[in-house]
Amino acid sequence: MSIAATINDHIKQAMLAKDKDRLAALRDVKSKILLEATSGSGTEVSDDVAMKICLKLYKQRMETYELYIAQGREDLATDELVQAKVIEEFLPKQLSEDEIKAEITSAITALGVSGPQDMGKLMGVLSAKLAGKADGKIIASLVKEELLKS
């Protein structure tokens, strides 16, 4: 079943359970997927595109959560965190730092990267390979750290 169909099923379940927070998050995801479907040439959104949309919405919720916490608005921060947790259910399991470092090491060996000047080449490969499984900022910082060692 596609991500869009799964989200539709979860919306129905949230409506029956009268779970307003979950319903709000799921409806937001569905609206972004529908917007993407109507803006493109086709009418169907692939699972990869839907995953990217979910990841983007998750990141937005977490950034807003951190902003609200910094401003002392715990009431609003809680709402954002709840919605982020709902969206997180549709994302693949995130890799740990150790798993990311292992991927970086294997990519360095495979590409024969020698120093910081090859960061772009390495990031291109790793970004494609770890898409949706790790945050790009974390990958970049770990790549920079590894390349400065060599």
Side-chain angles (χ1 to χ4, degrees):
M1 184 172 355
S2 71
I3 292 176
T6 304
I7 289 171
N8 283 335
D9 287 346
H10 283 265
I11 287 174
K12 291 173 191 171
Q13 292 169 5
M15 289 171 79
L16 290 172
K18 297 183 189 319
D19 187 349
K20 292 180 182 178
D21 294 330
R22 184 171 179 77
L23 187 60
L26 292 171
R27 282 184 171 161
D28 188 33
V29 173
K30 182 179 178 181
S31 72
K32 298 297 189 284
I33 290 173
L34 287 174
L35 190 64
E36 181 67 28
T38 57
S39 68
S41 58
T43 57
E44 191 68 28
V45 175
S46 70
D47 279 349
D48 288 340
V49 174
M51 190 67 60
K52 286 179 184 176
I53 290 169
C54 288
L55 187 60
K56 181 179 177 183
L57 290 172
Y58 174 75
K59 285 181 182 180
Q60 286 175 347
R61 294 290 191 290
M62 292 308 293
E63 288 170 2
T64 307
Y65 166 75
E66 290 167 7
L67 183 67
Y68 285 148
I69 290 294
Q71 293 176 350
R73 299 292 310 265
E74 282 76 20
D75 55 330
L76 296 173
T78 305
D79 292 341
E80 291 295 321
L81 186 60
V82 167
Q83 289 191 12
K85 294 292 181 190
V86 171
I87 295 169
E88 187 178 29
E89 294 174 19
F90 300 98
L91 299 176
K93 180 187 164 289
Q94 297 293 300
L95 297 176
S96 68
E97 270 195 34
D98 292 335
E99 292 170 322
I100 296 170
K101 284 181 182 179
E103 291 289 338
I104 291 170
T105 306
S106 67
I108 287 173
T109 306
L111 295 172
V113 174
S114 59
Q117 70 274 9
D118 295 325
M119 184 170 175
K121 184 184 347 177
L122 192 57
M123 280 302 296
V125 170
L126 289 169
S127 294
K129 187 174 183 180
L130 302 177
K133 297 178 187 173
D135 187 29
K137 291 178 187 176
I138 295 171
I139 296 170
S141 67
L142 292 174
V143 164
K144 193 177 292 184
E145 184 181 302
E146 285 295 319
L147 291 178
L148 290 174
K149 287 180 185 176
S150 51

